[in-house]
Amino acid sequence: MSESLQTAQTGPAAAAPGDFGWHLGMVLRGYQFLFEEAVEGMPAGIRGYQILSTVLHRDPPNQQALGAHLAIDRTVLTYLLDALVDAGVVERVPAPSDRRARKIVATDNGREILARYEERVASAESELLSGLKESEADTLAALIARLAMDVHRSQPGSSPCEAMDHLP
């Protein structure tokens, strides 16, 4: 083995099996810190932001689908939605496909609030990725998105929030 290859594999930058989880955990903790700051003041905090973003960008057909997408227990989702309704950012309406079910829709105020918070979140994400070149950040985001969808497809009921509780 050449000396440069051997140095690359054993030097300080070489990752040992298991380091991947530590690296992901550190990035996630850094992201969580910046994300929490970015959504400070948002009704229902991080979960409120996620709900409002999902309602506007993914348009789930009903409250149950919204909860399933975000892996939020239905009883917890009810409390979160109550807070968002009280804040005037979403409302419950009969679902077009099943009038017994409820669809969550954003109010005009909710759309305005999300637009402001999306700018803050984008700034936080840029700050987190500031040590990378723009092309590297774009590649990283695309790869993580693809990997996340692969994991989601293979483990559809898994909750990213529960995973955070068990970071190395």
Side-chain angles (χ1 to χ4, degrees):
M1 183 181 313
S2 76
E3 184 177 329
S4 63
L5 181 58
Q6 188 174 21
T7 302
Q9 290 178 341
T10 60
D19 282 355
F20 184 67
W22 185 87
H23 294 150
L24 287 175
M26 289 305 296
V27 171
L28 188 54
R29 284 187 176 120
Y31 181 80
Q32 183 180 16
F33 175 78
L34 293 170
F35 190 49
E36 285 173 351
E37 281 187 341
V39 298
E40 187 175 332
M42 174 75 188
I46 290 173
R47 285 305 214 170
Y49 177 87
Q50 291 171 328
I51 290 169
L52 188 54
S53 178
T54 301
V55 164
L56 280 167
H57 297 298
R58 302 207 182 271
D59 192 29
N62 55 46
Q63 186 171 321
Q64 182 180 3
L66 172 64
H69 176 76
L70 293 172
I72 300 175
D73 178 82
R74 64 187 173 124
T75 57
V76 174
L77 181 62
T78 299
Y79 292 114
L80 291 168
L81 290 173
D82 288 346
L84 294 172
V85 168
D86 290 346
V89 296
V90 298
E91 57 188 6
R92 294 176 174 103
V93 299
S97 60
D98 180 356
R99 296 193 61 77
R100 296 169 294 169
R102 294 284 173 242
K103 178 175 176 62
I104 307 304
V105 296
T107 62
D108 289 341
N109 182 42
R111 284 192 253 320
E112 291 171 14
I113 286 173
L114 184 64
R116 284 195 309 269
Y117 278 98
E118 283 181 332
E119 287 178 15
R120 294 171 66 172
V121 168
S123 177
E125 290 174 349
S126 291
E127 182 179 339
L128 180 71
L129 298 171
S130 65
L132 301 175
K133 295 177 188 170
E134 186 176 345
S135 63
E136 291 171 329
D138 291 345
T139 299
L140 178 63
L143 291 171
I144 287 177
R146 192 171 83 203
L147 184 58
M149 292 312 296
D150 287 347
V151 171
H152 183 63
R153 275 190 290 278
S154 68
Q155 302 171 19
S158 62
S159 167
C161 294
E162 288 176 18
M164 288 183 61
D165 293 338
H166 305 288
L167 288 174

